[in-house]
Amino acid sequence: MKKVLSLVLALAMLLTMSSFAVAETGVFTGVGDSNIGGAGSIEVAVTVDENGAVTNVEVTKNGDTPGISDPAVEQIPALIVEMQSANVDAVSGATYTSDAIMAATLDAVTKAGLDAAAWSEKKEKVVVKGEDVELEADVVIVGAGGAGLAAAVQANQNGSSVIVLEKMGKVGGNTILAGGALNAVNDRSEQALAYNDSVEWHFTQTMNGGDNQGDPVLVHTLVSQAYEGVAWLMDLGMEFQDETTGLFTVTGGLWPRAHKPVMPLGQGFFATYMNYIDNHDNVDVMLNTKANELLVDDNGRVCGVVATGETGNTVTVKAGKGVIMATGGFAGSVELRSAFNTQWADLGATIKTTNHAGATGDGIKMMQKLGADFVQMGNIQLLPLGDPQTGSLAGNIEHDVETRIFVNKEGNRFVNEGGRRDDMTNALFAQTDATMWIVMDSDTYPTGDELNNFGETANQLVEAGRAFKADTLEELAALINVPADNLVAAVAEFNRHAEGGDLAGTPDEFGRTLYKTPIDNGPFYAAARVPTVHHTMGGVRINQYAQVINENGQIIPGLYAAGEVTGGIHGANRLGGNALTDTVVFGRIAGDSASQGK
Ligand code: ADP
C-alpha cells in the first residue's frame, strides 16, 4: 500500500514538474504589433519540439506593406530558429516588420511554456570573415535599384558582362517603394490625343515644374525616350494597366500621363529585371556588398570598385569598360540632407522620410573624391503624403489626383491638390500640426477590398486604424474629429467643379483644374498624412550620355551615373511620375554608354 502510494506521489510530482519545466510540444500561434500594419498585424506559427527547441517559425499573417516587409518575412524566421532567440538583428529597411515577427514569436514561445526571459535575450550572429575576392566584368554597377538594374539589363543586352554591387540584402532601393507611376507620352497616339498631351507638353511641364533649373538637354532626353522605355519594359515582360483607361495623374504629376504597373509599388520593375538577370549569363547581382571606393587607372580612367563583402571581406571588381554609379539619393541621411538643404526651414530628424535605409548618399561621397561636379544639391523634394508614424508612402488611400481632396484638421481645403509637390507641402506645413486628411469616396473602392497603390486594401487600412470609413460625410467628420459643417461644405464646393457640377471645367479658388467624378458616393474614406522627405533632386552632373562631368566641365572617363544620384534634371521641384522615368531612361543610357566604353 505504502509502495503504491509513494509511486503515485512520485508520478504526481513528475507531472507537476514537467508542466513547469518542460515546454509543450506542438505549433503555437503568436501575434505582434507593427508600427506599419498596426495592432496584431503579424501572426506567426511556431513549432516547438520535445526538447523545447523551436524548429520552425512561419509568418501566417502579414498586415504590413508587401515589398517593404518581404525581406523581414524571408530572413527573420530562419534567424530566430538558428539563434533560438526572439531578439535577433532586425533586417535593415524592414525593422518594424522584423520587430513585430520577433514580438509574435516571443508571444508564441511564452504560450508554449518556454523561458520568456531567455528568449528575450539579444543574440547576435557571429560572422566569420571570408576570403578577399577579385572579380572582373565589362561593366560594374553600384546599386541594384531602378537605375542600376535598368543599366544592367541594357548593358547585358548589348553583349557586356555585368556585375552589380548592392549593399542591402535585397534589390529595389527606393524604386521598389514608389507608388509605381511612370510618366511617358506616346506622342501622337490615341491616348496622347485623348489626354491632350504630347512629349513637348511633358517637356514644358517638367521644365516649368522645376522652375527652369533643369538642364534642357537632359530633360529633352528624359521625355523623348520615356515611351521607348515603357516599350522596352513591356518587351521584357513587364505588365502595365491598359493605356486607354489606365493613364493617371500622380500627385504632383500635373497631367494624366503616368503609366501604372499591374504589380503594386515598384515591384513590377524588379520582377522584370530579376527575371532577365536570372535567365541570362554574365549578369549578376551581389547583395550585401557595399562599394566604398572607385579605382582609377594610370590614364585617369575609372576601372573598378572596391567594396566590403557580406562577411566583411574585401571585394574588388575590375571594370573592363566602365563603372555606373546608381546609388540613389540621400534623403535617408539626416546629416547630408540637413547639410545640403536650401529649400526648407528644417530637415532634421523630426521630419520622416519615404526612403529606405540605404539612401545615404554613398555615391556622392565616392564621386566627390574624384573631383566630380555636383548640381543643385540643395533641392530636396518633400511630399505631403507621409504616414504619420513612419513617413512611408504606404497606407496612402489615394489612387490619383482627380478623385480626392485634402482637408486640414479644421475640415477645410487649403491648397490646389493638383499642384506642384513643393507648393502642396509648403501649404501643409502651414496647417495645424502640419497634418491633413485625404478624403475620397467609394468610386475608387466600391467594396473596400480593392488595393491602393501599395498593395493594401482600404478595408485592411481601416481595420488597422490607418484609414477611416463612414457612410456619410458627417459620420466621417466625427471619426476623424474635424468639424462636420466644414467638411461637408468643402466637399460640396469641390463637387461644383467636378463632372456634372454647375462650375464643371472651371478652376476653383485654389486654382485646381484636375477633376473627375464628384465625391458623393458613400461610404467615404479618410486617412491622415504629414510632410515627408522624398527625393534629393540635386546630384552629380552628367551629360546626355550619362557620363559624369568633373568640376572643370570635362568627362571623367569610364564613369557613368543614372537615377537619383544625378542632378540637373528635375530642377527645383520634380514632377510626380518622372523619377521612375529617370531610372529607366538614364539607366538604359548609362548601360548603353558603359557597354560601349564611351
Ligand atoms: P534609383 O531610383 O536612382 O535607382 P534606388 O534608391 O532605387 O535609386 O537604388 C539605389 C540603390 O543603390 C539602393 O538599392 C541602395 O541600397 C544602393 N546603394 C547605395 N549605396 C551603395 C553602396 N555604397 N554600395 C552598393 N549599393 C549601394
Side-chain angles (χ1 to χ4, degrees):
M1 182 66 191
K2 236 181 172 179
K3 242 184 184 173
V4 173
L5 202 68
S6 59
L7 202 71
V8 170
L9 266 173
L11 254 172
M13 264 176 72
L14 205 71
L15 275 172
T16 324
M17 272 171 63
S18 69
S19 68
F20 279 108
V22 180
E24 293 171 50
T25 59
V27 179
F28 298 85
T29 303
V31 179
D33 303 344
S34 107
N35 226 345
I36 306 173
S41 61
I42 296 285
E43 233 173 67
V44 295
V46 173
T47 309
V48 180
D49 74 6
E50 61 278 7
N51 302 317
V54 168
T55 55
N56 189 39
V57 175
E58 196 186 332
V59 176
T60 46
K61 182 185 148 201
N62 177 10
D64 285 0
T65 315
I68 306 173
S69 62
D70 291 353
V73 173
E74 281 157 22
Q75 294 169 40
I76 292 294
L79 196 55
I80 289 173
V81 173
E82 187 185 338
M83 306 308 294
Q84 293 292 299
S85 166
N87 190 353
V88 295
D89 278 337
V91 175
S92 142
T95 49
Y96 290 123
T97 311
S98 300
D99 290 347
I101 296 172
M102 291 185 236
T105 304
L106 189 63
D107 182 31
V109 296
T110 308
K111 284 176 189 160
L114 295 178
D115 184 344
W119 269 82
S120 306
E121 259 169 48
K122 174 91 194 196
K123 294 219 178 124
E124 285 188 34
K125 203 171 162 172
V126 181
V127 180
V128 183
K129 191 169 164 185
E131 297 271 295
D132 292 345
V133 191
E134 283 208 15
L135 302 165
E136 207 169 331
D138 294 333
V139 177
V140 180
I141 300 173
V142 185
L149 292 194
V153 172
Q154 184 63 60
N156 187 258
Q157 284 180 328
N158 287 13
S160 291
S161 59
V162 179
I163 292 178
V164 185
L165 307 178
E166 169 54 55
K167 69 174 173 177
M168 307 299 279
K170 64 180 184 74
V171 301
N174 277 336
T175 307
I176 205 166
L177 305 181
L182 189 162
N183 287 340
V185 186
N186 185 7
D187 223 2
R188 299 198 181 87
S189 66
E190 248 177 67
Q191 295 80 30
L193 293 173
Y195 289 111
N196 206 10
D197 201 6
S198 64
V199 167
E200 210 177 325
W201 183 224
H202 188 190
F203 175 84
T204 304
Q205 287 198 306
T206 303
M207 289 299 297
N208 290 345
D211 288 340
N212 290 304
Q213 288 184 24
D215 174 343
V217 175
L218 296 182
V219 174
H220 182 263
T221 306
L222 177 84
V223 297
S224 62
Q225 297 188 30
Y227 193 74
E228 224 176 283
V230 173
W232 176 75
L233 288 166
M234 291 197 286
D235 277 350
L236 288 169
M238 183 160 167
E239 289 183 317
F240 288 89
Q241 312 264 358
D242 180 4
E243 282 188 3
T244 39
T245 53
L247 291 189
F248 73 111
T249 313
V250 63
T251 292
L254 309 181
W255 211 254
R257 63 170 70 95
H259 296 251
K260 191 175 160 82
V262 167
M263 288 180 82
L265 300 109
Q267 290 169 13
F269 294 90
F270 294 94
T272 307
Y273 296 142
M274 290 315 292
N275 179 46
Y276 177 94
I277 290 168
D278 290 342
N279 289 297
H280 286 80
D281 292 333
N282 297 325
V283 51
D284 294 298
V285 179
M286 296 177 71
L287 297 176
N288 296 307
T289 306
K290 180 174 183 275
N292 303 313
E293 193 191 336
L294 291 162
L295 296 173
V296 183
D297 70 14
D298 294 343
N299 301 320
R301 187 174 179 89
V302 175
C303 62
V305 180
V306 181
T308 305
E310 191 159 11
T311 62
N313 55 335
T314 300
V315 177
T316 308
V317 195
K318 294 274 175 58
K321 292 182 170 171
V323 174
I324 300 173
M325 297 299 282
T327 45
F330 56 89
S333 162
V334 172
E335 183 200 334
L336 282 191
R337 74 191 198 202
S338 303
F340 286 119
N341 165 39
T342 51
Q343 291 184 318
W344 306 90
D346 174 24
L347 290 187
T350 50
I351 313 283
K352 297 189 166 68
T353 177
T354 61
N355 281 213
H356 82 127
T360 47
D362 303 5
I364 305 281
K365 294 176 194 158
M366 287 164 71
M367 289 189 282
Q368 263 171 347
K369 291 196 184 126
L370 264 56
D373 194 20
F374 291 88
V375 282
Q376 297 157 6
M377 293 296 281
N379 292 351
I380 297 177
Q381 177 159 82
L382 271 67
L383 283 180
L385 302 174
D387 179 290
Q389 308 294 328
T390 64
S392 143
L393 289 177
N396 183 358
I397 55 173
E398 69 178 18
H399 262 220
D400 57 15
V401 164
E402 285 83 354
T403 51
R404 51 83 176 124
I405 56 169
F406 303 157
V407 298
N408 58 19
K409 285 194 157 181
E410 289 73 40
N412 297 319
R413 286 181 60 214
F414 57 91
V415 73
N416 168 12
E417 302 92 338
R420 288 164 48 145
R421 291 177 162 186
D422 52 355
D423 291 341
M424 291 187 285
T425 311
N426 269 316
L428 178 55
F429 270 120
Q431 308 308 307
T432 307
D433 299 333
T435 300
M436 70 177 193
W437 295 95
I438 295 182
V439 175
M440 55 201 292
D441 70 6
S442 286
D443 286 352
T444 309
Y445 301 107
T447 68
D449 288 327
E450 297 78 14
L451 297 173
N452 66 359
N453 292 340
F454 302 90
E456 304 150 323
T457 73
N459 285 338
Q460 272 171 352
L461 294 173
V462 171
E463 201 185 313
R466 302 169 70 201
F468 296 87
K469 179 180 186 177
D471 287 335
T472 65
L473 285 170
E474 287 81 356
E475 284 163 346
L476 188 70
L479 284 178
I480 64 175
N481 199 23
V482 306
D485 292 353
N486 289 350
L487 180 64
V488 169
V491 171
E493 181 58 24
F494 168 84
N495 288 349
R496 295 183 68 193
H497 296 268
E499 277 172 11
D502 63 329
L503 299 175
T506 62
D508 67 9
E509 60 174 311
F510 301 104
R512 175 166 170 157
T513 54
L514 297 171
Y515 294 94
K516 257 191 235 163
T517 49
I519 298 176
D520 61 358
N521 180 19
F524 300 92
Y525 292 89
R529 298 277 105 181
V530 298
T532 182
V533 187
H534 185 52
H535 188 104
T536 47
M537 294 167 291
V540 72
R541 188 188 293 280
I542 55 165
N543 64 15
Q544 73 265 43
Y545 307 113
Q547 293 169 299
V548 175
I549 308 297
N550 71 15
E551 284 160 340
N552 302 321
Q554 296 154 334
I555 290 162
I556 300 181
L559 187 62
Y560 311 84
E564 198 177 340
V565 72
T566 68
I569 297 174
H570 308 293
N573 166 70
R574 178 173 67 73
L575 246 57
N578 272 1
L580 291 178
T581 313
D582 185 3
T583 65
V584 177
V585 170
F586 281 96
R588 292 186 68 202
I589 292 174
D592 204 39
S593 294
S595 65
Q596 294 173 39
K598 211 173 207 161

